[in-house]
Amino acid sequence: MKKQKAIIFDLDGTLIDSVLDIALCMNKVLQELNLPTYKMEEYNYFLGGGVDVLVDNVLKNPSLKIKDIVTQRFKEVYDLAIHSNTKPYEGIYELLDELEKLDFKIAVLSNKPHKFTINYINTLFNKYNFIEVHGQKDDTPKKPHPAGALLISKNLNIPCEDIYFVGDTKVDMQTASNANMISIGVLWGFRDEKELKEHKANFIVEKPLDILNIVKN
């Protein structure tokens, strides 16, 4: 009997190119509060750890009060924004089409707040059967803690060692390692090859369809 395989995808920087909309929303909040704003490319290094880490990065050494204000306001602005710049990376739909043909179970695990994660999957990926979709929730530790990945493994009823974990940052490589999954680092996201190699990516790919060569073997 053929072993069932699965792939867990990170969201931002892996499935979707969302940095511009995040940067625009955060800069709007910072402007409102008369705080310094940042260039878009700087946001590539602010993302990956969820909203809390993003706020810490833009504020440097925030007091608890200003951190709470910026966090709450960012969520409001991001919720109201028309995310016209956010779209799947080129080749992602083709990859998902091929994975469906191969009968792979697919899932998402993101440090983006759960509400936003669900919204993006429902709007940009509604034709695909993502069996498990998890964003950041209060009752589950964030990546790189393996809890979310282990929950997906349990719900899919597939052993961790038969699951590929695809992401663009060290957080994703650490999550895969902590959950005993096979890590695939992608080079089209927010970080570079050096970071992925330093955090022991099992595989590194340049284009979405390159993933097929790995999972078919």
Side-chain angles (χ1 to χ4, degrees):
M1 187 175 143
K2 197 173 79 164
K3 268 202 295 196
Q4 176 73 63
K5 296 279 185 89
I7 293 191
I8 301 173
F9 290 96
D10 168 50
L11 184 63
D12 297 277
T14 301
L15 290 177
I16 60 171
D17 185 358
S18 54
V19 67
L20 180 55
D21 282 323
I22 292 170
L24 290 171
C25 291
M26 182 55 84
N27 277 344
K28 182 175 191 292
V29 173
L30 296 172
Q31 278 178 324
E32 286 176 3
L33 298 167
N34 293 316
L35 294 165
T37 58
Y38 296 89
K39 293 176 182 168
M40 194 194 87
E41 55 268 23
E42 292 178 275
Y43 279 92
N44 284 335
Y45 292 90
F46 294 165
L47 304 177
V51 175
D52 289 350
V53 175
L54 169 62
V55 172
D56 281 341
N57 285 331
V58 298
L59 295 178
K60 306 305 182 197
N61 296 303
S63 69
L64 203 56
K65 185 181 178 188
I66 189 69
K67 182 174 177 175
D68 285 347
I69 291 168
V70 172
T71 300
Q72 187 54 42
R73 184 64 186 134
F74 172 75
K75 286 180 178 177
E76 290 166 3
V77 170
Y78 194 72
D79 200 17
L80 292 171
I82 297 166
H83 299 280
S84 53
N85 301 296
T86 297
K87 55 194 179 298
Y89 285 100
E90 190 177 335
I92 288 294
Y93 285 152
E94 290 82 354
L95 170 64
L96 295 174
D97 288 338
E98 293 303 315
L99 290 173
E100 285 198 342
K101 289 177 197 168
L102 293 170
D103 201 31
F104 263 79
K105 290 185 176 178
I106 54 173
V108 167
L109 181 62
S110 175
N111 278 342
K112 196 182 203 74
H114 185 64
K115 175 177 136 180
F116 298 139
T117 300
I118 290 284
N119 190 31
Y120 273 120
I121 296 302
N122 287 345
T123 52
L124 294 177
F125 299 97
N126 55 357
K127 69 172 270 203
Y128 297 101
N129 181 26
F130 281 95
I131 302 170
E132 293 278 314
V133 178
H134 299 272
Q136 186 189 339
K137 306 174 202 163
D138 291 340
D139 61 353
T140 308
K142 287 191 303 182
K143 298 183 296 183
H145 194 287
L150 296 174
L151 176 65
I152 292 172
S153 168
K154 179 170 175 279
N155 289 347
L156 294 179
N157 195 28
I158 296 176
C160 289
E161 58 267 26
D162 290 329
I163 297 177
Y164 296 92
F165 198 107
V166 181
D168 66 308
T169 71
K170 64 183 181 183
V171 170
D172 299 306
M173 302 306 101
Q174 290 166 331
T175 306
S177 177
N178 293 341
N180 194 31
M181 293 176 178
I182 306 157
S183 58
I184 301 177
V186 308
L187 295 179
W188 58 81
F190 301 151
R191 305 291 168 78
D192 57 18
E193 188 168 8
K194 181 171 176 282
E195 176 171 313
L196 297 171
K197 280 183 170 171
E198 281 174 357
H199 291 86
K200 299 180 172 57
N202 295 123
F203 299 94
I204 295 177
V205 294
E206 290 186 4
K207 302 189 298 295
L209 287 173
D210 293 344
I211 290 172
L212 294 176
N213 299 329
I214 297 165
V215 304
K216 279 178 175 176
N217 293 328

